[in-house]
């Protein structure tokens, strides 16, 4: 198993944000973590990347316990992250932001840099532009591209569609699928549950710090209770209910090969790179609320 959490507990002061979370991500998978605001999704990713410490439990990567490993060494080990709120450096150029993803690497990163520009042609067009003047969608591309520069074995994506125009959301998810097709394992946190479940092989449902359901993504997509709680489905019974925990299920066959995606302009976005009003999103706060 490439990545595994076993009975992980995390606190913010006296508040317990994660209450015994256990999950697995196999090599080559796309695994989605869905849940409402405050469920603990972002905290889970921060715990994997070393930004939050476990109060109890263990995090394993490639079979080794990395609980005491500092965050920068986890990046070198192969854990990359595109954080919620994007976290780009606004005063630096697009090219300089991408290079920051390879900051800790000592080997040649020209292949990953070329791949980032290939996946996101808009970044290549604006490589000399200050990142802070780009639209929210372009900044999201930059955050993902920067994470790829670390040459991750597993890529943690935190709300990649947040605040984006619908057309750009489709492009971002197509590119995520292409990244996976090229060999990168992905753990995806996403409030757009329908898109996430369509993309993923397997998924976990997280509620108030606990995993309450684990199943193949296609099974959760068709589950009436999950549809009622997270997908806006009109079904009988308690709309807030989620099925009781069940045994974890191995990955299904991978999704169909994604076509190479070339980014297109978003309606309302300035050709000069000024932020578009329809997909701008402020950075998220480092707190259990709003995850």
């Amino acid at each position: 198993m490439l990545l595994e959490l076993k009975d992980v507990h995390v606190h913010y002061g006296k508040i317990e944000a994660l209450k015994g979370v256990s999950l697995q991500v196999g090599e080559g998978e796309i695994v989605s973590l869905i849940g409402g605001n405050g469920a603990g999704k972002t905290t889970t990713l921060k715990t994997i990347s070393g930004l939050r410490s476990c109060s109890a439990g263990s995090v394993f990567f490639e079979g080794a316990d990395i609980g005491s490993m500092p965050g920068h060494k986890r990046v070198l080990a192969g854990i990359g992250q595109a954080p919620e709120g994007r976290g780009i450096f606004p005063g630096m150029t697009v090219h300089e932001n991408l290079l920051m993803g390879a900051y800790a690497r000592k080997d040649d990163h020209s292949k990953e840099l070329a791949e980032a520009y290939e996946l996101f042609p808009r970044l290549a067009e604006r490589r000399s532009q200050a990142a802070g003047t780009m639209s929210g969608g372009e900044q999201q591309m930059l955050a993902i591209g920067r994470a790829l520069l670390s040459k991750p074995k597993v890529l943690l994506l935190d709300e990649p569609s947040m605040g984006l125009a619908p057309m750009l959301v489709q492009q971002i998810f197509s590119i995520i699928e292409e990244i996976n097709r090229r060999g990168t394992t992905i753990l995806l946190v996403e409030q757009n549950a329908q898109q996430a479940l369509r993309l993923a092989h397997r998924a976990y449902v997280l509620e108030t710090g606990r995993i309450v359901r684990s199943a193949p993504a296609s099974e959760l997509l068709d589950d009436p209770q999950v549809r009622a709680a997270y997908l806006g489905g009109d079904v009988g019974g308690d709309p807030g209910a989620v099925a009781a925990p069940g045994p974890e299920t191995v990955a299904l066959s991978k999704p169909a090969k994604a076509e190479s995606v070339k980014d297109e302009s978003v309606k309302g976005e300035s050709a000069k790179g000024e932020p578009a009003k329809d997909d701008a999103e402020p950075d998220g706060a480092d707190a259990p609320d709003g995850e």
Side-chain angles (χ1 to χ4, degrees):
M1 192 59 58
L2 182 62
L3 176 66
E4 185 173 9
L5 275 65
K6 291 185 176 180
D7 194 28
V8 168
H9 295 253
V10 174
H11 286 77
Y12 289 84
K14 294 182 179 180
I15 300 173
E16 189 173 26
L18 298 184
K19 306 169 185 177
V21 168
S22 296
L23 61 82
Q24 297 179 332
V25 182
E27 186 173 358
E29 285 190 296
I30 299 177
V31 175
S32 182
L33 185 60
I34 65 173
N37 289 337
K41 305 185 301 297
T42 293
T43 296
T44 300
L45 295 192
K46 287 182 176 181
T47 303
I48 294 169
S49 61
L51 298 178
R52 301 297 307 181
S53 299
C54 297
S55 306
S58 303
V59 179
F60 293 90
F61 185 64
E62 295 186 310
D65 189 339
I66 61 171
S68 60
M69 181 184 291
H72 69 281
K73 290 189 176 180
R74 297 190 194 194
V75 174
L76 290 173
I79 299 176
Q81 183 172 0
E84 180 183 17
R86 296 141 196 164
I88 56 95
F89 299 97
M92 298 171 65
T93 66
V94 167
H95 189 74
E96 290 168 340
N97 267 270
L98 288 175
L99 293 181
M100 288 300 294
Y103 181 80
R105 292 178 57 180
K106 303 300 181 184
D107 58 340
D108 179 53
H109 53 261
S110 58
K111 178 182 177 181
E112 288 73 33
L113 181 61
E115 184 178 52
Y117 282 135
E118 177 195 350
L119 286 168
F120 303 106
R122 180 67 63 84
L123 300 184
E125 295 169 4
R126 304 189 175 187
R127 68 180 67 197
S128 298
Q129 182 173 325
T133 66
M134 299 172 72
S135 74
E138 291 167 339
Q139 290 182 15
Q140 184 62 68
M141 296 176 197
L142 183 56
I144 296 174
R146 182 183 58 194
L148 291 176
L149 261 291
S150 68
K151 199 176 180 179
K153 297 175 183 176
V154 60
L155 178 59
L156 312 179
L157 297 176
D158 196 351
E159 304 285 6
S161 75
M162 180 180 287
L164 303 187
M167 182 177 68
L168 190 53
V169 169
Q170 293 294 333
Q171 293 176 357
I172 290 292
F173 274 96
S174 294
I175 292 171
I176 291 171
E177 186 175 23
E178 174 64 15
I179 291 170
N180 177 250
R181 189 190 69 78
R182 296 185 183 193
T184 302
T185 302
I186 292 173
L187 177 57
L188 172 66
V189 160
E190 179 58 58
Q191 286 194 42
N192 188 335
Q194 191 166 47
Q195 287 281 2
L197 293 177
R198 285 176 176 171
L199 181 67
H201 305 117
R202 295 187 299 111
Y204 294 85
V205 179
L206 187 64
E207 281 194 349
T208 59
R210 292 185 174 91
I211 298 291
V212 297
R213 185 77 190 276
S214 169
S218 58
E219 182 178 317
L220 290 179
L221 190 61
D222 294 330
D223 186 290
Q225 291 177 307
V226 173
R227 291 185 66 85
Y230 300 104
L231 306 179
D234 184 13
V235 299
D238 182 1
V242 177
E248 293 182 3
T249 311
V250 296
L252 297 179
S253 58
K254 290 189 176 183
K257 176 180 176 181
E259 296 295 329
S260 180
V261 177
K262 187 169 183 178
D263 181 43
E264 298 177 358
S265 296
V266 180
K267 183 178 180 181
E269 185 180 51
S270 169
K272 295 182 180 179
E274 295 176 355
K277 295 181 180 180
D278 59 349
D279 63 354
E281 172 65 27
D283 289 355
D286 180 15
D289 296 332
E291 291 176 341

